Amino acid sequence: EMELTQSPATLSVSPGESATLSCRTSQSTNFLAWYQQKPGQAPRLLIYGASTRATGVPARFIGGGSGTDFTLTISSLQSEDFAVYYCQQYDKWPFFGPGTKVD
Amino acid sequence: QLRLQESGPGLVKPSETLSLTCTVSGGSIRSSSYLWGWIRQSPGKGLEWIASIYYSGNTYYNPSLRSRLTISIDTSTKEFSLKMSSVTAADTALYYCARHEYFDFWSGSGWFDSWGQGTLVTVSS
């Protein structure tokens, strides 16, 4: 069964800085999505296909990687970007990672 | 703008059946490009996909939950529903319905591009 590991668990950054979040899968895949979740809200799709931004997602969100190592880079963090970020693989059925909190 | 709204009882007794409904508005539930799915979120297990369904009735279930699940759809009322039997405290979670854009129709793999606000279900006597 596919396993997802996200690191770090918490990432402390300041507004204007860049943040790079990591998602590692236990099996090679190119079927990876990223979501943002703010307190009291449902997750919001940011990236699918490892690097394709969803509709309306700002260009500062950049998905990359392939195989077993994937990244989500948020360039020039805005105040509204402080949230929890989840990766999700869809190689067979949807499976989510444990999340990285950006604060 | 697509909107999904979950409804159902917030409290279910252990060993009973949890029943939830999602109402879709602002878009077609009969789209050939999407499935309609359920995801739950609990402090202990994070986000977990439960099941999804195509408008014509094709169903997809999380293998670890399959034996307790039934997902159904009613295109005339633009609703899809989830039943989970024999619930325990471990099923206590925030349950979301979502539009599921599939990558592979036969496996149901894909991502979730529009979510409801979620409904909290507590399993307790």
Side-chain angles (χ1 to χ4, degrees):
Chain A
E1 183 178 290
M2 178 80 77
E3 293 182 7
L4 299 181
T5 305
Q6 290 189 246
S7 60
T10 302
L11 184 62
S12 295
V13 293
S14 299
E17 294 182 338
S18 291
T20 298
L21 289 63
S22 173
C23 178
R24 180 164 290 178
T25 62
S26 59
Q27 300 170 26
S28 183
T29 182
N30 284 322
F31 306 135
L32 197 94
W34 289 93
Y35 299 82
Q36 175 194 67
Q37 187 176 32
K38 297 178 183 179
Q41 297 184 18
R44 170 198 178 197
L45 176 69
L46 297 176
I47 302 284
Y48 61 93
S51 61
T52 302
R53 273 187 296 276
T55 303
V57 175
R60 63 180 182 273
F61 292 92
I62 303 165
S66 62
T68 60
D69 290 290
F70 299 87
T71 57
L72 175 68
T73 299
I74 312 168
S75 62
S76 189
L77 233 82
Q78 307 293 303
S79 57
E80 62 266 29
D81 299 336
F82 292 94
V84 180
Y85 292 83
Y86 297 94
C87 60
Q88 177 232 320
Q89 69 80 24
Y90 48 95
D91 190 69
K92 290 183 179 178
W93 59 84
F95 190 85
F96 294 87
T100 290
K101 183 178 182 180
V102 176
D103 68 10
Chain B
Q1 185 178 351
L2 187 72
R3 185 167 180 263
L4 298 97
Q5 179 68 57
E6 304 89 351
S7 59
L11 182 64
V12 183
K13 290 183 169 54
S15 80
E16 294 190 344
T17 296
L18 179 162
S19 296
L20 296 172
T21 295
C22 181
T23 303
V24 178
S25 59
S28 176
I29 201 170
R30 296 178 61 86
S31 172
S32 61
S33 300
Y34 300 100
L35 311 177
W36 302 93
W38 290 95
I39 303 105
R40 67 183 181 182
Q41 185 171 30
S42 61
K45 295 199 72 175
L47 287 163
E48 182 178 34
W49 171 69
I50 303 170
S52 295
I53 190 166
Y54 191 57
Y55 77 89
S56 63
N58 297 67
T59 57
Y60 310 83
Y61 294 108
N62 185 318
S64 67
L65 300 170
R66 170 187 287 270
S67 63
R68 299 195 291 130
L69 300 176
T70 302
I71 190 170
S72 59
I73 193 165
D74 185 338
T75 58
S76 65
T77 59
K78 300 183 74 174
E79 296 177 339
F80 61 103
S81 299
L82 178 74
K83 291 188 187 298
M84 178 183 293
S85 63
S86 305
V87 298
T88 69
D91 296 309
T92 293
L94 186 59
Y95 285 76
Y96 293 102
C97 61
R99 190 173 72 174
H100 177 169
E101 183 163 359
Y102 64 85
F103 175 78
D104 174 63
F105 182 79
W106 302 110
S107 70
S109 64
W111 56 90
F112 304 94
D113 68 351
S114 188
W115 298 59
Q117 65 185 18
T119 187
L120 181 62
V121 176
T122 302
V123 179
S124 175
S125 55

